Amino acid sequence: MNKCRTELQKLRKKQEAYQAAIGRFQKKIADVQNQMLKICLEVTEESNRASKEEKRYLSTKEVCDMLGVSDTTLYRMRLEQNLPFVKVAGKRNVRFDKEEVIKFMNEQKQRWYDR
């Protein structure tokens, strides 16, 4: 009978040790899940910021549509009338800051009215 109790006590201690280990692992798993969630949120926020930033810049076609001119005329406006633009790194195309285009339009409109 004593041998049986001793074995049971040993098994209970093992069980307690395993349960403690399981608790530590569950905590570690929860920590890893929280870190993963944090990274996912950061990536999502960065992606949202990037998409907002992308919307700030317009393509040549979008500016042509906005101004009602051809791409050749837009190119000439860039050269002759100092329409601000940004050259995209590593690419041949350019982008236009939407606010700068609106400002340019207002300046041109004012010049027209001042004639």
Side-chain angles (χ1 to χ4, degrees), residues 1-113:
M1 202 64 151
N2 268 344
K3 186 178 179 185
C4 193
R5 274 190 199 159
T6 308
E7 284 297 317
L8 280 174
Q9 287 175 343
K10 286 181 184 178
L11 289 174
R12 283 189 186 130
K13 284 184 182 180
K14 275 187 175 181
Q15 181 183 17
E16 289 171 4
Y18 288 140
Q19 285 176 334
I22 289 170
R24 287 191 303 272
F25 284 124
Q26 286 175 332
K27 184 181 179 323
K28 287 182 180 183
I29 289 170
D31 290 344
V32 169
Q33 287 174 329
N34 286 334
Q35 289 174 352
M36 290 170 61
L37 179 61
K38 182 180 176 184
I39 290 170
C40 288
L41 289 173
E42 288 172 0
V43 168
T44 302
E45 288 173 4
E46 188 175 312
S47 176
N48 288 341
R49 259 185 268 124
S51 66
K52 286 178 184 176
E53 188 69 24
E54 286 174 16
K55 291 178 185 174
R56 177 181 169 189
Y57 293 99
L58 303 173
S59 68
T60 299
K61 182 179 180 337
E62 290 170 323
V63 175
C64 286
D65 292 344
M66 200 171 165
L67 298 175
V69 297
S70 69
D71 56 343
T72 306
T73 302
L74 181 63
Y75 179 76
R76 192 170 53 248
M77 291 168 80
R78 277 181 27 206
L79 297 177
E80 296 172 2
Q81 298 175 7
N82 296 323
L83 177 61
F85 65 95
V86 177
K87 186 151 178 72
V88 179
K91 296 187 178 181
R92 295 179 65 194
N93 57 3
V94 296
R95 293 285 183 247
F96 298 86
D97 187 323
K98 188 174 185 177
E99 292 175 16
E100 292 292 328
V101 172
I102 292 170
K103 182 179 170 185
F104 177 81
M105 287 173 57
N106 289 332
E107 288 171 359
Q108 296 304 311
K109 195 184 309 181
Q110 190 61 40
R111 285 184 191 167
W112 178 259
Y113 289 133

